[in-house]
Amino acid sequence: MTNLQDPQDIPDPQDAPNGTGSVVPPPGCPAHGGASPLYGPRFLRDPTESYQRMRRDHGQVAPVLLEADIPAWLVLGYRETRQILGDTQTYGRDPRRWNRWDEVPPDWSLMPWVAYSPMIHYTEGDEHRRRSAAVSDALSIVDPFELRAHCERFADGLIDKFAGSGKADLVFDYVYSVPALAMGTMFGLPEDQVEDLAQALTASLDANEDAIAAQQRAAEIVARLVAAKRDAPGLDITSRFVQNSPDLTEEQLVGDIMVMMVAGLPATSYWIGTTIRLMLTDTRFAVTLAGGRRSIGEAMTEVLWADSPVPNVIGRFAIRDTVLGGQRIRTGDLLVLSLAAANMDPLLWPDTTAGFAGNNAYLSFTGGDYGCPAGAPELAKNIAEMAIEVLVDRVPDLTLAVEPEELEWVDSLWCRAPSSLPVTFTPTRVNAG
């Protein structure tokens, strides 16, 4: 039995202002001190500790600094996050509302997914609902049984390449490749372009100077794909979306398809990699690596709760002055939603030893009007689950080749995944054909 609290039982954000009975001044004023950086080795090494410290010092909404020390708010509370996701009258998605643009350098590493563009996740109101419905309809063309069969074939082919060596780096040899190949199939992308697009989309989420150029490379590949599918449509997501969206400009089509691809590739890869890491480092899941099956789904669910593959999203911009979690939010302030911190809110989990099995109330797919479109979480789950199942079946004695604390993590505010997973195992012969 889980000890998850009913969200309705969690104290209202307005009733417990920062735990002090006072409203905290907004970023930028002289009294706004102690903002924590959401970058750097300390945050990257142990983001959970950082979230706990921020919650202790500031409550459920904390002042933070993004790259280049740009002020923002980080929403740590489960209920506060749910409140934002459901209140489109107070918290908007259009980044042109942001009151800090004059402080942002032109080469800002977070620019690709913060600056306004015609992508669907920056739209609001009826336009957003219309385009979101078109996305869900396009995703519905994917047969989940065929997808699992494709992923099984992709996984077997990738494992064949390293099975005889007795060692591999699963991040480079497997974790990204299965979702990339699946994405290529679902979107009708020529196989010789899959790797280039996968690398570009993934790099666009990294916290470095290459992020902007990477997003531009991805957009160029998707633009060529859209043009090709307009001329010769097929039974794939891209063709269906293009056919059902005649009112969208070319730029809007490319942007919306890129949003779908990011959800289907990097995020699913992070889910796979972090789940495999959990299974390799936690004795509770050793039975899975010995050939069991029951624990794979449990491990995947635990990752969504306790180590969210998408820990933070640049979330919302205040449409009007308000108070959230005891903090005074000004019109135009940016609120970053920490899905990872919200999922592990101590008000939600008063018993930290409680299990997660069977509980799907996590926020890892966000929620509300801007949650993952209908069908997307199921497709991601099919890809991730099949990739892990085939790996466990083919290589049951996987052993991490380094100490768990030696693993390094992807340097990104948006994702949580190991940057390398070196493993050893008993070599097996691969039969040709």
Side-chain angles (χ1 to χ4, degrees), residues 286-301:
V287 63
T288 303
L289 295 180
R293 283 291 176 268
R294 185 172 56 183
S295 294
I296 291 177
E298 294 175 5
M300 292 174 63
T301 298

Side-chain angles (χ1 to χ4, degrees), residues 9 15 31 36 41 70 106 150 166 197 211 217 224 239 256 266 291 297 329 331 344 385 404 433:
D9 295 334
D15 295 338
S36 302
I70 307 298
H150 285 307
L197 180 57
R217 291 198 305 273
R224 292 195 296 268
S239 298
D256 288 4
I329 310 299
T331 301
M344 294 305 294
E385 192 169 55

